[in-house]
């Protein structure tokens, strides 16, 4: 929550910024309330000089529109508080006309308001980019385009070239960047969002270059006179182009000599007039100031740049959390080998700078430490576009951009930038922080032999004698890029160094990533695993993620036989799936300004773990390295105390007289647990009934009483292979089915109604011929103890999944004498019989209703058309 955010209260109303009264939450009111904040916080106009809905008079009469309604200005800025109190129309300084987004009318209204008052100018604003106007009285009375509006006590003519010492830091940085971007859009600039964003980056770099150059006056400016003429606008554009050429000259590894700002002179001027009054760079010692600017820029680029090749912007909470966990020092050589837009390096800079500035060291020591730290930051990113984004982010976060280079971390490292190799080559970085690109779909895997042959994880593995082992052959199916990046990080980090890395959650327990987990445990110490909340990287991607913190053993150090590993599961991330913030609430259930996440609590427990005084809780605990099985599963969910307590409780039954514990797959010799083949049904889907058309039941359709969401398949269109698959996925009366993706573990019993139905393979089938055992198993699978065992084994990067083997391995208590559970069996059988009776009744009622309505419709038609033979 910030100064400029307009929100609704618990009544769904907007609370007026000026008078604290409730207003209707209309689109136009949101725009007006935002601009009132701009006038106060950015332009320093006191609240007691601002007014909204001000009646405009012509002489002594109140102006009215064509419908006879009073004319009111949206916002008025009075010269003094007394003028506002007296509603003095002769002491109005500015008028603002606000419109709802996408509304482009209202200029004439603004003109009328200005000419009927003493206003010297005004603003037209619909939430995109404001248009500024100044009123001139000589040589003629006219309203002309201007380059802004003055701040409190500032002259209109001062809105041109300023002294650098007079520049002010922007308060609404996000709004400033958004309005600049919208200005480019408003000029009809060709190109997609990426092109516009890159031009914005170039313009910001030109502005930053102007600020860092020597000289008393700014070169990045546009006077009102220049703005009003084509020659003047070209002069402004030429100055900006020269500044950007200096940026290119100083960063030849990133920018080609021919790269330039591509938008025209008018668009450049539009951005210049929004930025020229502000100072983007700040004092190196002001860490909070840098953080605000850098964060706004990161949000801007994340909003407008498209995600490509698995690239997405790392949630800042994740960045800051990993930096806190790893705890880099100013002497650390810090590397991100998949740097993207530079989020981790700017995060590391924020963390180290804050640590330095909050220390008790002398001022000169702090400055030396800051200088050294800025030279210890390195990034490699294959995309030149993102390197430019990252360099700009680092400049706006406080410099340190020299080590941010373009290159391929998965290629031959000798081809990397010489500066990187000299100071951050193999086994030189002491800290690696990274979020590598994920494969996502299978086509994102890397299959280039020139790449795979340089990685041990590029080799195919297979099961041999009950163990997963390398075949020695290249993995022809390809390898997820994140696994290769993981291996590269392990090899790149210096002995004794620490890695903090974001990986897909499936890394923790699937066979695909087993080779990387094996490599990690051979020579490295796993310090922590944290499962991220499912919305952590939304709305950019739905991939579920985890965080790993890994330490490389010192050379010649004997690896400990056993050690503890910190595990945690984040349950809230402070935003929803659309990326909108979720705030903590106070004791009155009103939202506060604090983001509602649990990374602070996880960090506190991780620090306690490192001090050997962790108090374990349900979602934050530790396990021993020796607790990890031969599949090297390290998913915190697999080790949750409450889920494992369930297994212990079930196992304890094995010692009770007359009872034993077995797995579901061994409860009887002829039990079958399977999921069936995947049915590709796109060519069979129809929307009408008829001969050869059958329902196709998804999991939700099976679980519904009347299966309203079932799809329809035309079996007449099916190929021989599809017919074979259809027959394989048909269920039969008595089958127990279990959802295996999405919301896992929901159990249903196939009754007579669905006997022989075509059912999705997203349901695992449990087929038990013995009816007594079947009804007992059906009831047990609906218990908390059975569900906990399913939850323990769920896996997946996007959706959660279960496999038949997980159901087969569920522990279930069984009696020596089945009469012990005869009452449960009989009641389960009775309930199933009653359910079938109800389903038969529903079918009969539907038929009777349909028959009744058809008869009535026929009689009604005959009555209306007595001569027609219907």
């Amino acid at each position: 929550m910030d100064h400029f955010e307009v929100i609704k209260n618990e009544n769904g109303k907007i609370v007026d910024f000026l008078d604290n009264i409730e207003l209707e939450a209309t689109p136009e009111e949101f725009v007006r309330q935002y601009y009132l904040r701009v006038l106060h916080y950015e332009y320093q106009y006191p609240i007691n000089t601002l007014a909204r809905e001000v009646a405009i008079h012509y002489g002594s009469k109140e102006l009215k529109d064509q419908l006879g309604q009073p004319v009111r200005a949206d916002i008025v800025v009075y010269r003094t508080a007394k003028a506002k109190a007296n509603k003095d129309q002769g002491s109005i300084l500015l008028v603002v006309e606000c419109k709802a987004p996408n509304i482009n009318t209202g200029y004439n209204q603004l003109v009328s308001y200005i000419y009927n008052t003493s206003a010297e100018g005004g603003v037209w604003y619909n939430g995109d980019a404001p248009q500024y106007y100044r009123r001139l009285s000589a040589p003629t009375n006219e309203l002309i385009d201007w380059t802004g509006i003055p701040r409190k006590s500032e002259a209109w003519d001062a809105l041109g070239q300023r002294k650098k010492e007079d520049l002010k830091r922007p308060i609404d940085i996000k709004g400033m960047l958004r309005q600049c971007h919208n200005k480019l859009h408003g000029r009809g600039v060709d190109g997609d969002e990426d092109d516009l964003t890159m031009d914005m980056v170039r313009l910001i770099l030109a502005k930053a270059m102007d600020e860092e150059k020597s000289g008393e006056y700014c070169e990045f400016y546009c006077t009102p006179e220049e703005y009003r003429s084509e020659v003047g606008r070209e002069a402004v554009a030429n100055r900006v182009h020269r500044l950007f050429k200096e940026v290119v000259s100083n960063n030849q590894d990133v920018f080609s000599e021919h790269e330039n700002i591509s938008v025209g002179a008018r668009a450049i001027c539009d951005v210049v007039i929004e930025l020229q009054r502000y100072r983007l760079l700040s004092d190196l010692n002001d860490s909070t100031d840098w953080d605000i600017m850098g964060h706004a820029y990161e949000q801007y680029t994340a909003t407008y740049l498209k995600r490509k090749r698995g690239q997405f912007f790392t949630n800042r909470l994740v960045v800051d959390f990993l930096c806190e966990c790893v705890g880099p020092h100013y002497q650390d050589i810090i590397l991100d080998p998949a740097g993207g837009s530079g989020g981790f390096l700017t995060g590391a800079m924020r963390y180290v700078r804050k640590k330095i500035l909050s220390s008790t060291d002398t001022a000169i020591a702090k400055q030396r430490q800051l200088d050294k730290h800025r030279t210890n930051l390195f990034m490699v990113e294959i995309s030149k576009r993102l390197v430019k984004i990252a360099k700009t982010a680092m400049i706006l976060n406080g410099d340190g951009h020299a080590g941010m280079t373009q290159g391929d971390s998965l290629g031959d490292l000798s081809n990397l930038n010489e500066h990187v190799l000299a100071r951050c080559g193999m086994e030189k970085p002491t800290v690696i922080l990274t979020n590598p690109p994920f494969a996502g779909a299978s086509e994102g895997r890397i299959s280039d032999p020139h790449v795979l042959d340089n990685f041990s994880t590029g080799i195919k593995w297979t099961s041999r004698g009950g163990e997963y082992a390398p075949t020695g052959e290249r993995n022809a199916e390809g390898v997820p890029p994140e696994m290769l990046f993981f291996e590269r990080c392990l090899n790149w980090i210096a002995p004794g160094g620490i890695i903090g890395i974001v990986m897909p959650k499936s890394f923790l327990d699937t066979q695909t990533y087993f080779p990387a987990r094996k490599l990690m445990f051979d020579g490295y110490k796993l310090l922590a695993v944290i499962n991220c909340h499912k919305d952590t990287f939304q709305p950019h991607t739905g991939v579920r993620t985890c965080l790993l913190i890994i330490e490389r053993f010192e050379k010649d150090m004997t690896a400990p036989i056993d050690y503890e590993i910190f595990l945690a599961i984040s349950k809230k991330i402070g935003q929803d799936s659309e990326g909108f913030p979720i705030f903590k609430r106070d004791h009155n259930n009103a939202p506060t300004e604090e983001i509602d996440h649990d990374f602070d609590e996880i960090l506190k427990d991780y620090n306690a773990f490192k001090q050997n005084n962790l108090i374990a809780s349900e979602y934050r605990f530790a396990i021993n390295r020796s607790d990890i099985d031969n599949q090297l599963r390290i998913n915190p969910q697999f080790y949750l105390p409450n889920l494992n307590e369930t297994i212990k409780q079930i196992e304890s039954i094995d010692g009770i007289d007359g009872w034993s514990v077995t797995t579901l797959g061994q409860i009887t010799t002829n039990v079958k647990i399977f999921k069936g083949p995947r049915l590709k049904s796109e060519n069979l889907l129809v929307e009408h009934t008829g001969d050869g058309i059958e329902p196709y039941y998804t999991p939700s359709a099976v679980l519904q009483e009347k299966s309203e969401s079932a799809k329809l398949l035309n079996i007449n269109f099916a190929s021989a292979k599809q017919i074979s698959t259809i027959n394989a996925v048909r269920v039969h009366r008595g089958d127990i089915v279990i959802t295996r993706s999405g919301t896992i573990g929901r159990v249903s019993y196939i009754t007579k109604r669905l006997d022989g139905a075509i059912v999705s393979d997203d349901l695992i089938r449990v087929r038990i011929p013995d009816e007594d055992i079947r009804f007992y198993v059906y009831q047990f699978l609906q218990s908390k103890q059975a569900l906990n065992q399913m939850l323990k084994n769920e896996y997946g990067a996007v959706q959660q999944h279960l496999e038949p083997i997980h159901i087969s391995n569920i522990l279930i208590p069984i009696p020596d004498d089945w009469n012990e559970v005869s009452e449960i069996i009989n009641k389960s059988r009775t309930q199933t019989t009653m359910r079938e009776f109800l389903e038969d009744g529903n079918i009969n009622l539907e038929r009777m209703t349909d028959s009744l309505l058809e008869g009535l419709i026929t009689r009604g038609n005959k009555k209306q058309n007595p001569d027609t033979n219907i």
Side-chain angles (χ1 to χ4, degrees):
M1 209 177 286
D2 57 36
H3 287 314
F4 297 88
E5 185 174 9
V6 181
I7 61 172
K8 293 185 288 188
N9 63 12
E10 59 275 9
N11 299 322
K13 306 285 187 179
I14 292 174
V15 178
D16 181 38
F17 178 66
L18 302 180
D19 301 320
N20 290 321
I21 61 174
E22 288 190 347
L23 302 171
E24 292 299 322
T26 63
E28 183 174 328
E29 192 61 54
F30 272 100
V31 171
R32 175 164 50 191
Q33 290 294 320
Y34 167 77
Y35 209 76
L36 283 168
R37 289 160 166 81
V38 170
L39 289 167
H40 176 64
Y41 291 114
E42 293 286 11
Y43 291 94
Q44 289 114 44
Y45 289 109
I47 288 179
N48 62 11
T49 65
L50 302 177
R52 60 173 191 82
E53 292 286 329
V54 175
I56 302 297
H57 291 77
Y58 179 72
S60 61
K61 294 183 179 180
E62 190 174 80
L63 279 181
K64 295 186 179 182
D65 60 20
Q66 295 176 340
L67 300 176
Q69 299 296 321
V71 171
R72 299 183 185 279
D74 287 318
I75 300 174
V76 161
V77 181
Y78 288 95
R79 297 181 188 279
T80 64
K82 182 179 179 181
K84 175 187 174 179
N86 295 333
K87 298 179 181 180
D88 184 355
Q89 194 164 291
S91 293
I92 289 177
L93 178 65
L94 293 167
V95 178
V96 181
E97 175 68 11
C98 295
K99 293 295 179 184
N102 302 319
I103 301 297
N104 297 310
T105 60
Y107 172 75
N108 290 335
Q109 290 173 268
L110 179 63
V111 173
S112 173
Y113 302 156
I114 291 174
Y115 283 152
N116 280 287
T117 68
S118 63
E120 296 176 4
V123 181
W124 181 93
Y125 184 58
N126 72 347
D128 282 340
Q131 303 296 319
Y132 307 107
Y133 302 96
R134 182 183 180 182
R135 179 182 181 179
L136 297 180
S137 55
T140 59
N141 193 25
E142 60 179 326
L143 195 66
I144 62 172
D145 288 346
W146 208 250
T147 57
I149 56 173
R151 296 191 188 106
K152 173 70 174 173
S153 302
E154 188 177 38
W156 283 87
D157 290 322
L159 306 183
Q161 187 177 25
R162 286 178 166 90
K163 288 184 177 181
K164 291 180 181 178
E165 65 182 24
D166 293 333
L167 299 178
K168 305 292 186 182
R169 286 289 280 174
I171 299 175
D172 183 20
I173 303 169
K174 289 185 292 184
M176 176 191 72
L177 294 173
R178 183 183 65 249
Q179 287 178 12
C180 289
H181 192 91
N182 290 339
K183 286 277 190 178
L184 297 184
H185 255 307
R187 289 297 171 200
V189 176
D190 293 332
D192 62 13
E193 292 286 359
D194 284 16
D195 297 331
L196 293 182
T197 304
M198 290 312 302
D199 266 330
M200 264 302 302
V201 169
R202 297 179 187 114
L203 287 162
I204 290 169
L205 287 170
K207 174 81 165 85
M209 173 58 67
D210 181 38
E211 291 183 28
E212 73 177 44
K213 288 178 62 178
S214 60
E216 184 180 5
Y217 286 91
C218 298
E219 296 178 38
F220 191 95
Y221 71 92
C222 176
T223 67
E225 292 75 21
E226 287 175 320
Y227 187 68
R228 295 177 61 199
S229 73
E230 185 175 347
V231 173
R233 292 192 292 270
E234 287 294 339
V236 174
N238 288 336
R239 288 198 297 269
V240 174
H241 282 303
R242 285 198 298 271
L243 288 168
F244 183 67
K245 282 298 180 186
E246 293 186 58
V247 174
V248 172
S249 178
N250 292 343
N251 297 277
Q252 295 180 16
D253 59 321
V254 177
F255 299 97
S256 72
E257 61 177 322
H258 304 295
E259 183 163 351
N260 210 335
I261 299 167
S262 63
V263 296
R266 184 65 179 259
I268 289 176
C269 289
D270 281 334
V271 173
V272 169
I273 65 175
E274 291 296 328
L275 295 180
Q276 66 181 355
R277 63 184 181 273
Y278 296 122
R279 175 169 48 87
L280 302 188
L281 304 185
S282 188
D283 187 337
L284 282 175
N285 292 318
D286 193 343
S287 62
T288 301
D289 207 9
W290 283 112
D291 288 357
I292 294 170
M293 174 59 76
H295 190 200
Y297 172 78
E298 290 164 20
Q299 285 189 322
Y300 165 72
T301 50
T303 299
Y304 291 109
L305 282 179
K306 296 173 184 174
R307 182 166 58 90
K308 297 180 178 179
R309 296 193 310 277
Q311 300 164 346
F312 48 85
F313 293 78
T314 307
N315 185 310
R316 184 159 174 168
L317 286 174
V318 172
V319 170
D320 292 344
F321 172 76
L322 268 184
C323 288
E324 292 274 0
C325 288
V326 172
H329 192 261
Y330 77 90
Q331 293 178 313
D332 276 312
I333 305 295
I334 304 172
L335 168 70
D336 185 347
S341 60
F344 269 114
L345 278 196
T346 54
M349 172 177 267
R350 290 192 299 268
Y351 174 83
V352 174
R353 182 173 56 218
K354 195 170 294 185
K355 181 189 288 188
I356 292 171
L357 296 179
S358 62
S359 72
T360 57
D361 294 339
T362 64
I364 187 64
K366 291 179 180 180
Q367 190 58 57
R368 291 287 182 90
Q369 291 169 12
L370 285 170
D371 291 341
K372 185 176 184 64
H373 170 60
R374 289 200 304 277
T375 65
N376 286 344
L377 296 165
F378 297 90
M379 182 190 96
V380 180
E381 168 55 47
I382 197 168
S383 165
K384 280 192 174 183
R385 178 191 71 150
L386 288 181
V387 177
K388 297 167 192 174
I389 297 290
K391 274 185 175 285
T392 309
M394 190 61 84
I395 289 170
L396 296 179
N397 272 282
D399 206 4
H401 62 280
M404 309 184 88
T405 62
Q406 190 268 335
D408 183 4
S409 292
L410 298 185
D412 185 346
L413 293 189
S414 64
N415 294 327
L416 294 182
N417 180 279
E418 293 180 0
H419 179 56
V420 173
L421 289 177
R423 298 219 42 234
C424 195
M426 193 60 67
E427 296 192 356
K428 289 184 179 179
T430 54
V431 169
I432 290 179
L433 294 163
T434 191
N435 178 10
F438 296 172
S442 58
E443 61 265 21
R445 290 176 174 242
I446 293 177
S447 55
D448 184 348
H450 296 98
V451 176
L452 296 184
D453 289 350
N454 292 317
F455 292 87
S456 61
T457 53
I459 296 172
K460 188 175 183 179
W461 287 55
T462 189
S463 294
R464 289 179 177 173
E467 290 194 6
Y468 207 48
T471 63
E473 301 174 2
R474 186 188 306 125
N475 192 336
E477 297 177 355
V479 175
E482 66 270 20
M483 185 151 73
L484 301 182
F485 271 106
F486 186 84
E487 179 179 343
R488 180 67 22 118
C489 289
L490 294 180
N491 295 331
W492 208 331
I493 193 74
I498 296 182
I499 300 168
I501 188 169
V502 182
M503 293 293 282
K505 183 169 170 277
S506 52
F507 174 88
L508 303 175
D509 50 17
T510 60
Q511 281 198 344
T512 297
Y513 298 96
F514 180 89
R517 297 199 299 274
K518 180 73 168 62
L519 195 65
M520 176 182 64
F521 282 115
D522 294 341
Y524 302 81
K525 182 179 182 181
L526 179 60
L527 302 178
V529 180
I530 299 96
N531 279 2
C532 297
H533 186 275
K534 64 183 178 66
D535 291 334
T536 301
F537 289 93
Q538 293 282 24
H540 305 298
T541 177
V543 174
R544 297 197 181 197
T545 55
C546 64
L547 311 177
L548 294 100
I549 304 172
I550 305 158
E551 180 182 10
R552 185 171 190 172
F553 293 129
E554 296 280 2
K555 286 187 176 179
D556 303 322
M557 174 183 174
T558 303
I561 297 175
D562 204 5
Y563 59 86
E564 284 195 318
I565 303 169
F566 177 80
L567 302 182
I569 297 177
S570 173
K571 305 300 289 183
K572 49 186 179 178
I573 192 58
Q575 66 175 41
D576 62 18
S577 61
E578 299 298 319
F580 294 110
I582 297 173
F583 298 100
K584 289 184 177 179
R585 292 183 173 271
D586 61 21
H587 62 281
N588 293 321
N589 202 37
T592 67
E593 296 187 2
E594 189 176 356
I595 293 291
D596 191 14
H597 67 91
D598 57 8
F599 272 147
D600 289 342
E601 289 85 356
I602 294 174
L603 177 64
K604 181 179 178 182
D605 279 347
Y606 179 60
N607 288 332
F609 163 80
K610 290 192 290 186
Q611 298 297 321
N612 295 316
N613 57 9
L614 170 68
I615 299 175
S617 60
E618 183 177 3
Y619 295 110
R620 299 188 286 277
F621 52 93
I623 63 168
N624 291 318
R625 165 67 181 88
S626 56
D627 294 331
I628 298 173
D629 60 17
N630 59 6
Q631 297 178 52
L632 301 182
R633 289 186 286 186
I634 51 175
N635 188 343
Q637 190 160 338
F638 185 76
Y639 299 95
L640 279 174
N642 65 315
L643 301 187
N644 285 286
E645 182 62 28
T646 293
I647 293 177
K648 290 179 183 178
Q649 292 170 350
I650 296 295
E651 287 177 336
S652 70
I653 297 173
D654 207 38
I656 299 176
D657 287 342
W659 285 85
S660 60
V661 173
T662 187
T663 62
L664 189 55
Q666 296 182 348
I667 196 168
T668 179
T669 56
N670 50 6
V671 62
K672 292 181 180 179
I673 302 174
F674 62 99
K675 63 182 179 183
R678 172 70 67 179
L679 173 61
K680 294 183 178 180
S681 60
E682 289 80 4
N683 66 312
L684 307 180
L685 292 172
V686 294
E687 296 184 1
H688 57 84
T689 59
D691 292 340
I693 295 176
E694 291 190 50
Y696 173 59
Y697 295 89
T698 60
S700 58
V702 170
L703 294 165
Q704 289 169 348
E705 182 180 336
K706 295 183 180 181
S707 302
E708 297 94 338
S709 62
K711 302 175 183 178
L712 295 176
L713 303 183
N714 191 334
I715 309 301
N716 300 313
F717 297 161
S719 65
K721 183 178 180 181
Q722 284 179 310
I723 292 292
S724 175
T725 301
I726 286 170
N727 290 333
V729 297
R730 291 186 186 275
V731 294
H732 301 286
R733 186 182 185 189
D735 285 350
I736 301 168
V737 291
I738 305 164
T739 54
R740 71 175 193 89
S741 63
T743 304
I744 69 164
R746 300 177 70 184
V747 181
S748 187
Y749 190 95
I750 301 299
T751 59
K752 183 171 58 177
R753 178 175 68 91
L754 294 181
D755 187 28
I758 306 169
V759 170
S760 165
D761 69 299
D762 283 325
L763 288 166
I764 293 173
R765 283 82 159 151
V766 178
R767 190 166 290 168
I768 302 174
D770 187 293
E771 190 178 84
D772 284 356
I773 297 177
R774 184 198 313 151
F775 281 120
Y776 175 72
V777 167
Y778 173 55
Q779 288 305 123
F780 176 76
L781 286 174
Q782 296 176 80
S783 68
K784 180 181 72 174
Q785 287 75 12
L787 178 61
N788 281 350
Q789 294 185 67
M790 297 183 212
L791 294 176
K792 173 182 166 71
N793 288 288
E794 67 177 2
Y795 72 95
V798 180
Q799 271 200 332
Q800 297 304 283
H801 295 282
L802 275 182
E803 297 297 334
I805 187 63
H806 300 138
I807 302 300
S808 183
N809 288 336
I810 288 176
L811 295 178
I812 180 170
I814 57 172
D816 293 344
D817 181 359
W818 284 95
N819 287 324
E820 285 277 334
V821 291
S822 60
E823 186 174 2
I824 290 176
I825 292 170
N826 291 334
K827 286 189 174 181
S828 179
R829 181 185 289 112
T830 299
Q831 285 189 346
T832 303
T833 301
M834 293 171 65
R835 180 177 161 192
E836 289 188 331
F837 177 78
L838 176 62
E839 290 172 345
D840 287 342
N842 284 337
I843 292 171
N844 289 332
L845 274 173
E846 287 177 7
R847 288 172 179 167
M848 291 172 64
T849 303
D850 289 343
S851 178
L852 171 65
L853 293 174
E854 287 174 5
L856 291 172
I857 291 170
T858 300
R859 289 162 58 188
N861 286 335
K862 285 183 177 180
K863 184 176 181 181
Q864 290 181 5
N865 304 284
D867 298 328
T868 303
N869 186 18
I870 300 177

